Amino acid sequence: MATTTTTNQSGSSRALVNQQQVEKKLSSRLTKNKVLKWVFFACTLIGLIVLAALLIDTLIKGVPYLKPSFFTNFSSSMPSMAGIKGALVGTLWLMITIIPISIILGVGTAIYLEEYAKDNAFTSFVKISISNLAGVPSVVFGLLGLTIFVRGMGIESLSLGKSVIAAALTMSLLILPVIIVSSQEAIRAVPKSVREASYGLGGNKWQTIYKIVLPAALPGILTGFILSLSRALGETAPLILIGIPTILLRLPTGIFDMFQAMPIQIYNWAKMPQEAFQHVASAGIIVLLVLLLAMNGLAIFLRNKFSKKY
């Protein structure tokens, strides 16, 4: 009786599944998979070829101009005398000023929204607004920085002028949404059981955040911050809008001094009619790329280091 039942079930299963139709569909699916695989490979290859062509062209034009004098001279109207000293030092000043502003405001906001703020409609509105700000064009932040920081909203005592601090505050506004969102995601990824264990051992809210949550979320926070900082150092539109000079024959000595920036300097060289200035601009691009790659490498190193520790 049992054998007859099993045989009937096997027969009904074969009747329900048409092996010929399955094999036919499987063949078409495999063919489609191969086609899509090569389509995606072609897309990747096109991007790599374009990137390689740009890099090779930039290196061919710029490497001959990477001489010691290029790093010790200020900008000049003569291509052979043009250097990146002022722009490089000004960019370093800008970077050093942006770091504490954006870290304190960005990570502090993320901690409040994730650990302290109540889950209500207002908090949800703030989170959505911050996420939307990450997609706002950089020109808008440049106009905002010009109005609030450079001109002080028409109040002379609040005006910071075309200084390092005004540019740093403007660029911090630009990258803050990305830092806040990435920090929120990193803090949210820390398991609740870790927090509960800290509370069980007698730790209060701040001790748990400072000694448990932040160290565990540090790799994600650092990665988001350094990548955001890289974006800020490569932006040109906000700096143009707030009036950062293209030629300045002195170095800044403080955050309230005027300065040059590498993106502005490269842009100025690139729009010059002389062909030699295009090569000088390529040399400046190489220096900026090296700086950005070094920062991205630092982000990867710190992420791997703290990921292993925690």
Side-chain angles (χ1 to χ4, degrees):
M1 183 68 179
T3 305
T4 304
T5 304
T6 304
T7 304
N8 291 337
Q9 289 177 350
S10 300
S12 62
S13 298
R14 283 195 293 269
L16 290 172
V17 179
N18 189 331
Q19 295 293 335
Q20 187 177 2
Q21 189 176 2
V22 169
E23 291 177 2
K24 184 179 179 181
K25 288 186 176 180
L26 182 61
S27 177
S28 64
R29 288 175 180 175
L30 291 174
T31 303
K32 187 183 293 184
N33 179 63
K34 289 181 180 179
V35 171
L36 289 175
K37 173 186 174 182
W38 286 108
V39 168
F40 296 146
F41 176 75
C43 293
T44 305
L45 193 61
I46 291 172
L48 291 175
I49 290 172
V50 172
L51 177 61
L54 289 173
L55 286 176
I56 291 171
D57 181 66
T58 301
L59 290 172
I60 291 174
K61 291 181 179 179
V63 168
Y65 282 82
L66 292 176
K67 303 174 182 178
S69 59
F70 182 73
F71 297 95
T72 57
N73 290 349
F74 288 96
S75 182
S76 172
S77 58
M78 298 176 61
S80 58
M81 298 293 293
I84 204 168
K85 177 181 177 181
L88 181 59
V89 173
T91 299
L92 293 176
W93 267 99
L94 181 64
M95 182 174 62
I96 293 171
T97 311
I98 289 174
I99 289 173
I101 296 172
S102 55
I103 283 184
I104 293 172
L105 295 178
V107 179
T109 302
I111 290 173
Y112 175 77
L113 291 174
E114 290 299 319
E115 300 292 336
Y116 289 102
K118 295 180 180 179
D119 190 10
N120 53 32
F122 178 74
T123 304
S124 299
F125 172 75
V126 171
K127 290 180 179 180
I128 293 172
S129 299
I130 292 172
S131 299
N132 290 335
L133 282 173
V136 173
S138 59
V139 176
V140 177
F141 289 100
L143 291 171
L144 188 65
L146 175 65
T147 303
I148 297 176
F149 305 125
V150 176
R151 297 177 178 172
M153 296 178 291
I155 304 173
E156 188 175 351
S157 58
L158 298 178
S159 174
L160 297 174
K162 303 170 185 178
S163 60
V164 175
I165 186 64
L169 289 169
T170 303
M171 289 304 192
S172 295
L173 287 180
L174 173 66
I175 64 175
L176 268 177
V178 179
I179 294 175
I180 293 171
V181 172
S182 62
S183 299
Q184 282 183 274
E185 294 294 334
I187 292 171
R188 198 178 300 138
V190 179
K192 289 185 178 180
S193 57
V194 177
R195 296 175 173 86
E196 292 169 357
S198 175
Y199 296 144
L201 292 172
N204 57 30
K205 185 77 170 179
W206 171 241
Q207 287 175 329
T208 301
I209 293 171
Y210 178 68
K211 295 185 178 181
I212 304 297
V213 176
L214 282 181
L218 199 56
I221 293 174
L222 287 174
T223 301
F225 167 72
I226 294 178
L227 294 179
S228 300
L229 184 61
S230 299
R231 181 198 172 189
L233 295 182
E235 285 286 351
T236 308
L239 297 177
I240 293 176
L241 283 172
I242 64 177
I244 299 304
T246 55
I247 297 178
L248 186 66
L249 302 181
R250 60 185 176 87
L251 299 176
T253 57
I255 60 174
F256 294 101
D257 291 342
M258 294 180 66
F259 74 106
Q260 281 183 287
M262 290 179 65
I264 293 288
Q265 186 64 78
I266 293 169
Y267 171 75
N268 185 54
W269 284 333
K271 70 178 183 179
M272 290 289 186
Q274 298 95 322
E275 185 179 355
F277 270 117
Q278 313 304 317
H279 296 188
V280 178
S282 296
I285 291 171
I286 294 172
V287 176
L288 184 59
L289 281 176
V290 170
L291 182 61
L292 295 178
L293 288 174
M295 294 180 61
N296 291 337
L298 178 63
I300 295 171
F301 170 76
L302 292 173
R303 182 185 62 197
N304 293 337
K305 178 181 178 180
F306 288 102
S307 294
K308 294 177 182 177
K309 186 174 180 181
Y310 297 98

